[in-house]
Amino acid sequence: MKQNLYRSMTFGAMWLVCVAMTACSGRPAGQEASAGTRQEGVETFQQDTPGGEEPFPFPDIPEVMTNPDERRSYLLQHYWDRYDFADTTLLQRAGVTEQGLVNYVALVGTHPDRAEADGAVDGFCRKMAAGEQSRQVFASLLEKYLYDPMSPLRDDALYVRFLDRLLAHAPKEDARRDRWSFLRELAGRNNPGEVATDFTYYLPDGRKQTLYGTPGGQLLLFFYDPECENCHTTLLEMKASAALAEAVRAGQVTVLAVYTEGNPDVWRARLGEMPENWIVGTDREVIKTKALYDLKAMPTLYLLDAEKRVVRKDVAFGQLAIDN
């Protein structure tokens, strides 16, 4: 069910981005009825909502605006004009509120003008943070779609932009501020383009080493737990990869596998499963305790360049581009 909902929401988001960038086509209305409808001057995804409820109340885009960039900017700035944040019933309508937010997130994330997009996010967060229930609903949805590891829209850097404005406008007495601040700290660390956070790890013979002191060109960080089923599956996938094996053999990639849990006996008992040309160590739970890296799900993989700058963050092994 969760995957189906994500798939539906993602399709709606992609549709909105496409139509927001496209000027009016001038086709007869009947020709586009199977894909979408044009309501109030903007084409929208025709959602299959329970009970035939109304879709998201998009703003009216002036007909004189035919330039795709102008239309997209207008939609970004006025997206929430006709949405009633105080309507508690409306807040619970997933086909309106949840779908509307997903479309908006996609619009913000693809907007070429960062300053303009952040200004729009500020206005949105000011409106939604004004009410207790709207603040609760939208904060939960933002976490679900931008931070949940299962979400196809997950984007830590974009989530940080929303969290910054939410924290700027949420009341100081809101008890959830501590959680939002913690999530902002985690999501804001070790993003692509940034130098990865250094940490200390210990080799099986007890020798101490640091991330920055680990040699190699590209560095594949593999945070794992041998008792984790997903970790075992990923480990088998990595060991079966001829491209990775050749890159490691040629010295182009170094694999650093770090055990982050607290049972050293379990870790030592499973060391034989690890390839001999990988570096394997344990951080003695420091990374998790100090939240140096966001280990929301195991395993967690990062790809770093020779300067220890993050290339890819927390992605599946199959999504990594290993140079060889």
Side-chain angles (χ1 to χ4, degrees):
M1 178 62 72
K2 185 175 184 180
Q3 291 179 342
N4 290 337
L5 178 60
Y6 275 138
R7 184 157 49 245
S8 172
M9 294 300 184
T10 305
F11 179 79
M14 291 188 296
W15 173 263
L16 178 68
V17 172
C18 290
V19 299
M21 295 169 61
T22 306
C24 297
S25 64
R27 292 182 296 174
Q31 292 185 11
E32 42 185 49
S34 62
T37 59
R38 180 172 298 142
Q39 297 181 359
E40 310 295 347
V42 60
E43 290 174 298
T44 66
F45 174 56
Q46 185 62 50
Q47 304 162 43
D48 295 325
T49 53
E53 67 179 11
E54 291 296 318
F56 186 86
F58 290 100
D60 297 337
I61 297 181
E63 294 182 2
V64 295
M65 284 189 178
T66 58
N67 180 281
D69 291 336
E70 289 181 349
R71 288 172 62 82
R72 179 168 56 185
S73 291
Y74 185 94
L75 180 60
L76 178 70
Q77 297 299 328
H78 297 274
Y79 190 91
W80 299 99
D81 285 1
R82 298 173 58 195
Y83 182 88
D84 186 358
F85 289 87
D87 187 336
T88 56
T89 300
L90 181 63
L91 286 168
Q92 302 305 320
R93 292 179 181 169
V96 181
T97 298
E98 190 165 354
Q99 179 72 67
L101 180 67
V102 170
N103 288 342
Y104 183 66
V105 164
L107 192 62
V108 171
T110 58
H111 197 70
D113 189 327
R114 170 67 179 267
E116 183 178 16
D118 284 349
V121 169
D122 183 78
F124 159 68
C125 288
R126 181 183 292 108
K127 291 178 181 179
M128 69 90 157
E132 168 65 25
Q133 189 159 350
S134 63
R135 195 164 60 246
Q136 176 180 344
V137 168
F138 281 105
S140 177
L141 289 175
L142 285 168
E143 181 177 343
K144 172 183 177 181
Y145 282 101
L146 291 179
Y147 190 65
D148 189 322
M150 293 297 293
S151 172
L153 299 181
R154 182 189 167 193
D155 186 329
D156 284 2
L158 184 56
Y159 186 44
V160 165
R161 292 161 65 184
F162 277 92
L163 281 177
D164 281 342
R165 303 326 304 157
L166 172 60
L167 287 165
H169 296 296
K172 300 298 183 184
E173 62 272 15
D174 193 316
R176 290 162 295 187
R177 290 182 62 90
D178 287 343
R179 173 174 173 76
W180 296 333
S181 296
F182 179 68
L183 291 177
R184 192 261 177 259
E185 182 179 1
L186 276 181
R189 286 182 175 175
N190 304 304
N191 283 311
E194 301 175 354
V195 176
T197 301
D198 197 14
F199 61 86
T200 297
Y201 61 91
Y202 299 84
L203 299 172
D205 63 6
R207 285 180 296 148
K208 185 166 65 174
Q209 182 60 281
T210 64
L211 173 67
Y212 288 179
T214 303
Q218 287 187 313
L219 180 65
L220 180 54
L221 265 178
F222 177 50
F223 296 113
Y224 79 106
D225 176 0
E227 295 186 305
C228 156
E229 182 176 346
N230 288 335
C231 297
H232 181 67
T233 300
T234 299
L235 175 60
L236 292 178
E237 183 182 4
M238 294 170 69
K239 290 168 67 173
S241 171
L244 177 60
E246 174 58 25
V248 172
R249 187 199 64 77
Q252 296 171 331
V253 173
T254 298
V255 179
L256 172 57
V258 180
Y259 173 66
T260 60
E261 303 307 304
N263 192 332
D265 292 335
V266 168
W267 172 62
R268 290 184 179 280
R270 304 284 289 273
L271 285 174
E273 299 176 0
M274 311 303 285
E276 293 183 358
N277 56 0
W278 290 12
I279 301 174
V280 183
T282 174
D283 73 322
R284 298 180 181 176
E285 291 192 280
V286 172
I287 291 174
K288 186 171 60 176
T289 302
K290 295 188 176 181
L292 299 182
Y293 284 76
D294 190 359
L295 306 180
K296 62 171 65 68
M298 296 298 278
T300 299
L301 287 87
Y302 284 74
L303 182 64
L304 313 182
D305 64 17
E307 284 73 44
K308 304 301 186 288
R309 196 173 299 275
V310 178
V311 178
R312 300 296 303 275
K313 174 183 180 179
D314 193 6
V315 293
F317 176 68
Q319 296 175 306
L320 291 171
I322 303 296
D323 294 339
N324 55 37

